[in-house]
Amino acid sequence: MGDIRLIEVKEEIFSDNIKLAAEVRERLRKTKTMLLNLMSSPGSGKTSLILRTVEGLKGSLRLGVIEADIDSTVDAEKVAARGIPAIQLRTGGFCHLDATMVTQGIDAMAVNELDLVIIENVGNLVCPAEFDTGAHKNVMILSVPEGDDKPLKYPLMFSICDLLLVNKIDYLSLSDFDMAALRKRVLALNPRITILEASCKTGAGIEGWIDWLKGEVAAFKGLE
Amino acid sequence: MGDIRLIEVKEEIFSDNIKLAAEVRERLRKTKTMLLNLMSSPGSGKTSLILRTVEGLKGSLRLGVIEADIDSTVDAEKVAARGIPAIQLRTGGFCHLDATMVTQGIDAMAVNELDLVIIENVGNLVCPAEFDTGAHKNVMILSVPEGDDKPLKYPLMFSICDLLLVNKIDYLSLSDFDMAALRKRVLALNPRITILEASCKTGAGIEGWIDWLKGEVAAFKGLE
């Protein structure tokens, strides 16, 4: 297998995807629906953060969720059980979501009735960073047990995100995680990123996340 | 972008890779060098386990390490600092290792002088499971903070491994991780898998891992 052949294929896929992602963004701008792409490693807390967000936005913003899962529906079931419109995309072995899959998701939702749609991407710090989903905002979670060296190893993901939420800060007491070193590494890659610290388990820091979300949606809708 | 086109490309890449992986396996069988492919999510403890393994095998088996990293050399430096032959493959954005990249790695090592080569794959539970590296054994780490539901979400990875090492058991006291539920889910996917529990931080359970490794290498070499 030649590297060059594979790279050509990737470029063709990328250019088709970039066009479609721009269409998704424009379509949702018209309905004033902000699309947010949530990414992380497996088990960092994407679903837990979405469940906290459902709770935190209750009565203020109308939320929908698109769940990507390779083979199961466990996450969509948890969200739907809270009365939130949830679409499950089975990626069938794909390691990321692209704009085609997201289009299928929003086609299946009444997006004009929603203020915010959160996409839970496949748990993976590599491939999702390469594929524009059409989201207006990219958010990633890094959990404390993963370690403070991850920006050195997965730099693209940290570079393309608007916000990094450092989750599982309740594990800090058992860990040698160096928050100052992490911040320095992340900001070296992406000086404009917002960094928040939280624990989806205890609820610490979740208010800051909800405030950020409300501010971003308001700005997106042009209300402020 | 049509799904069908992408799948055709993937199949062509897969069939080339399968042939080359078989060649890698055969080549290392001749030099009696066991090749082990170590996979996990980012931050589950692949490098920490390799450092524990360097320590545990000292004086008994001759070990080499192939490190995959998208963009950095931090892991290979840690291994080389212990006097172990270490090759760093920069995957340049690739989300997995394939047999071509592994061939480049073993071409650069004196494999005939080694009993065991461990490949540290890219931190990712999806793509590495799809690409045969040519390894004789596949091993994965799942760390306690990632959660006991991961077999439901990344089933292929659990299906192709010979051994699962559940790492960071020192976090169990802070976690609602259900080890019995995990074991049941993993064994439903892969009844022949060996499951070990360990903490690379405290050293608990590492002896069992070293014993398993020594047993597998001895069997591979036909000494028992």
Side-chain angles (χ1 to χ4, degrees):
Chain A
M1 164 183 128
D3 283 351
I4 292 161
R5 197 182 69 211
L6 184 56
I7 288 163
E8 281 170 0
V9 169
K10 280 183 92 172
E11 278 175 2
E12 195 182 335
I13 293 170
F14 282 148
S15 76
D16 287 357
N17 187 62
I18 286 166
K19 273 183 236 158
L20 191 55
E23 287 170 28
V24 168
R25 250 188 302 279
E26 189 47 34
R27 172 177 167 189
L28 293 176
R29 206 165 273 134
K30 285 181 188 149
T31 61
K32 296 207 169 189
T33 311
M34 192 174 100
L35 185 64
L36 185 149
N37 176 26
L38 181 59
M39 296 171 283
S40 80
S41 299
S44 302
K46 292 184 295 302
T47 311
S48 303
L49 183 64
I50 288 174
L51 297 180
R52 284 283 182 187
T53 307
V54 168
E55 209 177 288
L57 293 181
K58 204 176 281 174
S60 60
L61 293 177
R62 297 164 303 170
L63 175 67
V65 174
I66 297 175
E67 293 283 348
D69 223 321
I70 292 167
D71 202 27
S72 77
T73 57
V74 283
D75 292 342
E77 286 163 17
K78 284 184 197 165
V79 174
R82 266 108 176 147
I84 297 295
I87 301 295
Q88 179 80 46
L89 298 175
R90 293 207 198 192
T91 60
F94 272 64
C95 47
H96 62 274
L97 284 183
D98 61 20
T100 305
M101 302 182 217
V102 170
T103 301
Q104 290 167 357
I106 59 176
D107 281 348
M109 295 182 121
V111 285
N112 57 321
E113 295 169 12
L114 299 173
D115 302 304
L116 173 65
V117 173
I118 299 180
I119 304 166
E120 179 175 343
N121 215 313
V122 180
N124 183 336
L125 284 189
V126 190
C127 320
E130 295 180 2
F131 284 85
D132 190 342
T133 56
H136 304 99
K137 293 284 165 186
N138 286 321
V139 169
M140 73 171 290
I141 304 175
L142 178 77
S143 64
V144 165
E146 291 171 71
D148 53 49
D149 62 342
K150 291 299 154 293
L152 303 174
K153 304 177 105 182
Y154 305 93
L156 184 62
M157 178 59 81
F158 289 85
S159 304
I160 62 146
C161 283
D162 300 289
L163 181 137
L164 162 65
L165 187 130
V166 184
N167 190 25
K168 306 194 189 179
I169 55 169
D170 50 305
Y171 281 112
L172 280 170
S173 61
L174 279 185
S175 164
D176 56 1
F177 189 96
D178 183 338
M179 193 69 77
L182 176 83
R183 285 179 173 270
K184 204 172 154 189
R185 286 168 184 154
V186 173
L187 292 170
L189 291 167
N190 183 351
R192 288 176 308 283
I193 198 169
T194 301
I195 305 176
L196 298 178
E197 301 174 21
S199 165
C200 289
K201 194 202 275 176
T202 68
I206 296 297
E207 210 183 313
W209 158 248
I210 298 294
D211 288 346
W212 181 86
L213 263 183
K214 286 181 178 172
E216 291 295 330
V217 173
F220 176 79
K221 287 179 170 281
L223 297 178
E224 63 177 36
Chain B
M1 165 183 127
D3 284 351
I4 292 160
R5 196 182 68 214
L6 184 55
I7 289 165
E8 280 170 359
V9 170
K10 281 183 93 172
E11 278 176 2
E12 196 182 335
I13 294 170
F14 282 148
S15 74
D16 287 357
N17 188 62
I18 287 167
K19 272 183 239 157
L20 192 54
E23 287 170 27
V24 169
R25 249 188 303 277
E26 190 46 36
R27 171 177 168 189
L28 294 177
R29 205 165 275 134
K30 285 180 188 150
T31 61
K32 296 206 170 190
T33 311
M34 192 174 99
L35 184 63
L36 185 149
N37 176 26
L38 181 60
M39 297 171 283
S40 79
S41 298
S44 302
K46 291 184 293 305
T47 310
S48 304
L49 184 64
I50 288 174
L51 297 179
R52 284 282 183 186
T53 306
V54 168
E55 210 177 289
L57 293 181
K58 203 175 283 173
S60 59
L61 293 179
R62 297 164 303 170
L63 175 66
V65 174
I66 298 176
E67 292 284 347
D69 223 320
I70 292 169
D71 202 28
S72 78
T73 56
V74 281
D75 292 342
E77 285 163 17
K78 283 184 198 165
V79 174
R82 266 109 177 145
I84 297 294
I87 300 294
Q88 179 79 45
L89 298 175
R90 293 208 198 193
T91 61
F94 272 63
C95 47
H96 62 273
L97 285 183
D98 61 21
T100 304
M101 302 181 217
V102 170
T103 301
Q104 289 167 358
I106 59 176
D107 281 349
M109 294 182 122
V111 284
N112 58 319
E113 294 170 11
L114 299 173
D115 303 304
L116 173 66
V117 173
I118 299 180
I119 304 167
E120 179 175 341
N121 214 312
V122 179
N124 183 338
L125 285 190
V126 189
C127 319
E130 295 181 2
F131 285 85
D132 190 342
T133 56
H136 303 98
K137 293 286 166 185
N138 285 321
V139 169
M140 72 171 289
I141 304 175
L142 177 77
S143 65
V144 164
E146 291 172 71
D148 53 48
D149 63 342
K150 292 298 153 294
L152 303 175
K153 306 177 104 182
Y154 306 92
L156 184 62
M157 180 59 82
F158 289 85
S159 304
I160 61 147
C161 282
D162 299 289
L163 182 137
L164 162 65
L165 187 129
V166 184
N167 189 25
K168 306 195 190 180
I169 55 169
D170 50 305
Y171 280 114
L172 280 171
S173 61
L174 279 184
S175 165
D176 56 3
F177 190 96
D178 183 338
M179 193 68 80
L182 175 84
R183 284 179 174 269
K184 204 172 153 188
R185 287 168 184 154
V186 173
L187 292 171
L189 291 166
N190 184 349
R192 286 174 310 281
I193 198 169
T194 300
I195 305 176
L196 298 178
E197 301 174 21
S199 164
C200 289
K201 194 201 276 174
T202 67
I206 295 297
E207 210 184 311
W209 159 248
I210 297 294
D211 287 346
W212 181 86
L213 263 183
K214 286 181 179 171
E216 292 294 330
V217 172
F220 176 79
K221 287 179 170 279
L223 297 179
E224 60 178 36

mmCIF file of all heavy atoms in Angstrom, chain A residues 9 13 94 96 98, chain B residues 1-11:
data_model
loop_
_atom_site.group_PDB
_atom_site.id
_atom_site.type_symbol
_atom_site.label_atom_id
_atom_site.label_comp_id
_atom_site.label_asym_id
_atom_site.label_seq_id
_atom_site.Cartn_x
_atom_site.Cartn_y
_atom_site.Cartn_z
ATOM 1 N N VAL A 9 -6.798 9.805 -1.722
ATOM 2 C CA VAL A 9 -8.170 9.439 -1.373
ATOM 3 C C VAL A 9 -8.669 10.318 -0.239
ATOM 4 O O VAL A 9 -9.768 10.865 -0.283
ATOM 5 C CB VAL A 9 -8.234 7.947 -0.959
ATOM 6 C CG1 VAL A 9 -9.579 7.631 -0.346
ATOM 7 C CG2 VAL A 9 -7.977 7.068 -2.164
ATOM 8 N N ILE A 13 -11.949 12.940 -0.188
ATOM 9 C CA ILE A 13 -12.985 12.845 0.835
ATOM 10 C C ILE A 13 -13.072 14.164 1.608
ATOM 11 O O ILE A 13 -14.156 14.682 1.865
ATOM 12 C CB ILE A 13 -12.680 11.666 1.801
ATOM 13 C CG1 ILE A 13 -12.803 10.343 1.047
ATOM 14 C CG2 ILE A 13 -13.603 11.691 3.002
ATOM 15 C CD1 ILE A 13 -12.294 9.138 1.813
ATOM 16 N N PHE A 94 -17.205 3.260 11.558
ATOM 17 C CA PHE A 94 -16.490 4.505 11.254
ATOM 18 C C PHE A 94 -15.959 5.120 12.546
ATOM 19 O O PHE A 94 -16.578 5.013 13.595
ATOM 20 C CB PHE A 94 -17.400 5.493 10.522
ATOM 21 C CG PHE A 94 -17.378 5.294 9.038
ATOM 22 C CD1 PHE A 94 -17.835 4.116 8.491
ATOM 23 C CD2 PHE A 94 -16.859 6.253 8.192
ATOM 24 C CE1 PHE A 94 -17.793 3.893 7.136
ATOM 25 C CE2 PHE A 94 -16.808 6.046 6.829
ATOM 26 C CZ PHE A 94 -17.281 4.860 6.298
ATOM 27 N N HIS A 96 -15.307 8.349 13.094
ATOM 28 C CA HIS A 96 -15.579 9.781 13.254
ATOM 29 C C HIS A 96 -16.925 10.068 12.590
ATOM 30 O O HIS A 96 -17.433 9.249 11.833
ATOM 31 C CB HIS A 96 -14.503 10.597 12.532
ATOM 32 C CG HIS A 96 -14.501 10.328 11.056
ATOM 33 N ND1 HIS A 96 -13.806 9.285 10.491
ATOM 34 C CD2 HIS A 96 -15.166 10.919 10.031
ATOM 35 C CE1 HIS A 96 -14.024 9.254 9.196
ATOM 36 N NE2 HIS A 96 -14.846 10.225 8.878
ATOM 37 N N ASP A 98 -18.812 12.655 9.878
ATOM 38 C CA ASP A 98 -18.535 13.670 8.866
ATOM 39 C C ASP A 98 -19.832 14.426 8.575
ATOM 40 O O ASP A 98 -20.881 14.152 9.172
ATOM 41 C CB ASP A 98 -17.912 13.050 7.614
ATOM 42 C CG ASP A 98 -18.825 12.040 6.951
ATOM 43 O OD1 ASP A 98 -20.050 12.063 7.190
ATOM 44 O OD2 ASP A 98 -18.312 11.221 6.175
ATOM 45 N N MET B 1 -20.321 12.749 -0.890
ATOM 46 C CA MET B 1 -19.459 11.579 -0.744
ATOM 47 C C MET B 1 -20.322 10.343 -0.508
ATOM 48 O O MET B 1 -21.149 10.315 0.397
ATOM 49 C CB MET B 1 -18.547 11.837 0.456
ATOM 50 C CG MET B 1 -17.838 10.660 1.012
ATOM 51 S SD MET B 1 -16.910 11.252 2.445
ATOM 52 C CE MET B 1 -17.495 10.095 3.660
ATOM 53 N N GLY B 2 -20.208 9.328 -1.320
ATOM 54 C CA GLY B 2 -21.027 8.123 -1.165
ATOM 55 C C GLY B 2 -20.340 7.151 -0.241
ATOM 56 O O GLY B 2 -19.137 6.952 -0.328
ATOM 57 N N ASP B 3 -21.104 6.506 0.612
ATOM 58 C CA ASP B 3 -20.530 5.525 1.528
ATOM 59 C C ASP B 3 -19.851 4.401 0.762
ATOM 60 O O ASP B 3 -18.816 3.902 1.147
ATOM 61 C CB ASP B 3 -21.633 4.896 2.390
ATOM 62 C CG ASP B 3 -22.078 5.840 3.481
ATOM 63 O OD1 ASP B 3 -21.399 6.880 3.653
ATOM 64 O OD2 ASP B 3 -23.055 5.546 4.141
ATOM 65 N N ILE B 4 -20.463 4.005 -0.378
ATOM 66 C CA ILE B 4 -19.968 2.846 -1.113
ATOM 67 C C ILE B 4 -18.549 3.074 -1.620
ATOM 68 O O ILE B 4 -17.698 2.215 -1.497
ATOM 69 C CB ILE B 4 -20.925 2.526 -2.281
ATOM 70 C CG1 ILE B 4 -22.259 2.040 -1.694
ATOM 71 C CG2 ILE B 4 -20.320 1.465 -3.196
ATOM 72 C CD1 ILE B 4 -23.415 2.136 -2.637
ATOM 73 N N ARG B 5 -18.264 4.265 -2.113
ATOM 74 C CA ARG B 5 -16.930 4.535 -2.617
ATOM 75 C C ARG B 5 -15.891 4.377 -1.506
ATOM 76 O O ARG B 5 -14.858 3.754 -1.690
ATOM 77 C CB ARG B 5 -16.844 5.947 -3.196
ATOM 78 C CG ARG B 5 -15.609 6.102 -4.066
ATOM 79 C CD ARG B 5 -15.472 7.505 -4.600
ATOM 80 N NE ARG B 5 -15.176 8.409 -3.530
ATOM 81 C CZ ARG B 5 -15.599 9.664 -3.481
ATOM 82 N NH1 ARG B 5 -16.381 10.148 -4.424
ATOM 83 N NH2 ARG B 5 -15.262 10.443 -2.468
ATOM 84 N N LEU B 6 -16.217 4.932 -0.360
ATOM 85 C CA LEU B 6 -15.279 4.878 0.756
ATOM 86 C C LEU B 6 -15.024 3.439 1.178
ATOM 87 O O LEU B 6 -13.893 3.052 1.451
ATOM 88 C CB LEU B 6 -15.827 5.706 1.919
ATOM 89 C CG LEU B 6 -14.904 5.821 3.125
ATOM 90 C CD1 LEU B 6 -13.550 6.355 2.703
ATOM 91 C CD2 LEU B 6 -15.516 6.737 4.167
ATOM 92 N N ILE B 7 -16.076 2.649 1.207
ATOM 93 C CA ILE B 7 -15.934 1.256 1.635
ATOM 94 C C ILE B 7 -15.054 0.478 0.660
ATOM 95 O O ILE B 7 -14.201 -0.289 1.063
ATOM 96 C CB ILE B 7 -17.335 0.614 1.797
ATOM 97 C CG1 ILE B 7 -18.000 1.219 3.029
ATOM 98 C CG2 ILE B 7 -17.228 -0.902 1.949
ATOM 99 C CD1 ILE B 7 -19.474 0.981 3.124
ATOM 100 N N GLU B 8 -15.196 0.744 -0.630
ATOM 101 C CA GLU B 8 -14.340 0.064 -1.616
ATOM 102 C C GLU B 8 -12.866 0.382 -1.366
ATOM 103 O O GLU B 8 -12.028 -0.497 -1.400
ATOM 104 C CB GLU B 8 -14.701 0.509 -3.041
ATOM 105 C CG GLU B 8 -15.928 -0.201 -3.574
ATOM 106 C CD GLU B 8 -16.415 0.409 -4.874
ATOM 107 O OE1 GLU B 8 -15.800 1.387 -5.331
ATOM 108 O OE2 GLU B 8 -17.403 -0.089 -5.414
ATOM 109 N N VAL B 9 -12.590 1.646 -1.123
ATOM 110 C CA VAL B 9 -11.211 2.049 -0.858
ATOM 111 C C VAL B 9 -10.685 1.329 0.379
ATOM 112 O O VAL B 9 -9.596 0.779 0.391
ATOM 113 C CB VAL B 9 -11.131 3.583 -0.660
ATOM 114 C CG1 VAL B 9 -9.760 3.970 -0.133
ATOM 115 C CG2 VAL B 9 -11.433 4.289 -1.973
ATOM 116 N N LYS B 10 -11.531 1.303 1.424
ATOM 117 C CA LYS B 10 -11.102 0.651 2.654
ATOM 118 C C LYS B 10 -10.793 -0.823 2.397
ATOM 119 O O LYS B 10 -9.823 -1.350 2.893
ATOM 120 C CB LYS B 10 -12.187 0.771 3.742
ATOM 121 C CG LYS B 10 -12.204 2.135 4.427
ATOM 122 C CD LYS B 10 -13.235 2.201 5.529
ATOM 123 C CE LYS B 10 -12.681 1.852 6.893
ATOM 124 N NZ LYS B 10 -13.665 2.114 7.968
ATOM 125 N N GLU B 11 -11.620 -1.481 1.568
ATOM 126 C CA GLU B 11 -11.391 -2.906 1.317
ATOM 127 C C GLU B 11 -10.074 -3.159 0.602
ATOM 128 O O GLU B 11 -9.380 -4.115 0.900
ATOM 129 C CB GLU B 11 -12.560 -3.498 0.535
ATOM 130 C CG GLU B 11 -13.691 -3.845 1.487
ATOM 131 C CD GLU B 11 -14.932 -4.353 0.775
ATOM 132 O OE1 GLU B 11 -14.897 -4.478 -0.465
ATOM 133 O OE2 GLU B 11 -15.920 -4.597 1.461
#
